[in-house]
Amino acid sequence: DDGSGSSPTITDLAVDAAGEVWVNSETAIYKATIPSAPGTVSIQKVTNISAASSQKFYALGFAPAGVLGGSETLVAGDNLGELYAIETTGTTLDLGSFGSDSSGNAYQLSGDVVFYTQGGKARGLATVRSCKKTCSTTNDILAEVDVVAMQAAYQTKSPGILKKQFLGSGTGFGHLYGVGAWNDSVYAFARTSSGSPAQLIQIGSTGKGTVLKTFPDITAGWSGAGVT
């Protein structure tokens, strides 16, 4: 509920170091107020983020402090496979994309991006898929974000290629609409098709996914979200 009588469709969420919750629709960023008891979550619009009529945002995460400035920076990903820094002023800065495969097919975000600190260093992960006219929705790939390239793009205000490496050739799962990580463990939230049970999967160092749990009662839509 955004306070105006409208309830925009929320596509992802992110939590900062202070425990504050931020969410996004396909076209805007909101700050959320979580009630102390079960009830309605209220949201307040921070900024619009869609720059083109065909652009839709569905990934959200906080880059750790020191990556894109002295404090945490909100990063959003769109349906074109690009990541944007969202400034506190509401302005957006295109950081770049994940490039294309050997056939020239662009890599698009399949659903989410996550940043965290591992061993004292910032790390970013995203689930991507190769697209041309249509996207492969059965074998999403776990990609490691090139944090150095992202920093350079932020400083020069010139979009770059953000793929550092792909972990293997595919997870074996599609529709990975949420991703989270903790230490060396990476988790994703899968909805293989409409009407299928939701799944929580773990992705190993080879990039392959393994089902940890299936949720038979969740079949009417599962977009998933994960934070560290």
Side-chain angles (χ1 to χ4, degrees), residues 68-199:
L68 301 178
S71 58
E72 290 180 292
T73 303
L74 197 58
V75 176
D78 67 7
N79 59 316
L80 304 178
E82 299 197 350
L83 299 182
Y84 286 76
I86 311 299
E87 304 285 9
T88 55
T89 58
T91 60
T92 61
L93 175 64
D94 189 354
L95 299 173
S97 68
F98 290 89
S100 303
D101 64 18
S102 58
S103 299
N105 301 327
Y107 286 108
Q108 292 186 3
L109 289 169
S110 50
D112 204 5
V113 61
V114 63
F115 296 94
Y116 62 109
T117 300
Q118 182 184 39
K121 295 182 179 180
R123 191 184 192 200
L125 298 170
T127 49
V128 301
R129 56 194 180 202
S130 177
C131 300
K132 196 170 185 181
K133 290 183 179 180
T134 59
C135 292
S136 170
T137 57
T138 59
N139 193 29
D140 293 350
I141 305 168
L142 184 66
E144 183 173 1
V145 179
D146 190 332
V147 175
V148 173
M150 190 172 72
Q151 290 173 324
Y154 183 79
Q155 293 167 358
T156 63
K157 295 181 171 52
S158 178
I161 300 300
L162 303 181
K163 183 194 81 173
K164 181 176 182 179
Q165 65 172 333
F166 287 154
L167 279 71
S169 58
T171 60
F173 294 84
H175 295 279
L176 298 182
Y177 296 153
V179 62
W182 184 71
N183 289 336
D184 292 326
S185 299
V186 180
Y187 304 94
F189 304 86
R191 179 180 62 190
T192 53
S193 63
S194 179
S196 297
Q199 293 177 314

Side-chain angles (χ1 to χ4, degrees), residues 44-79:
Q44 181 178 4
K45 183 184 287 186
V46 176
T47 182
N48 291 319
I49 53 175
S50 184
S53 59
S54 60
Q55 188 178 33
K56 299 177 181 179
F57 284 84
Y58 48 64
L60 200 65
F62 274 100
V67 175
L68 301 178
S71 58
E72 290 180 292
T73 303
L74 197 58
V75 176
D78 67 7
N79 59 316

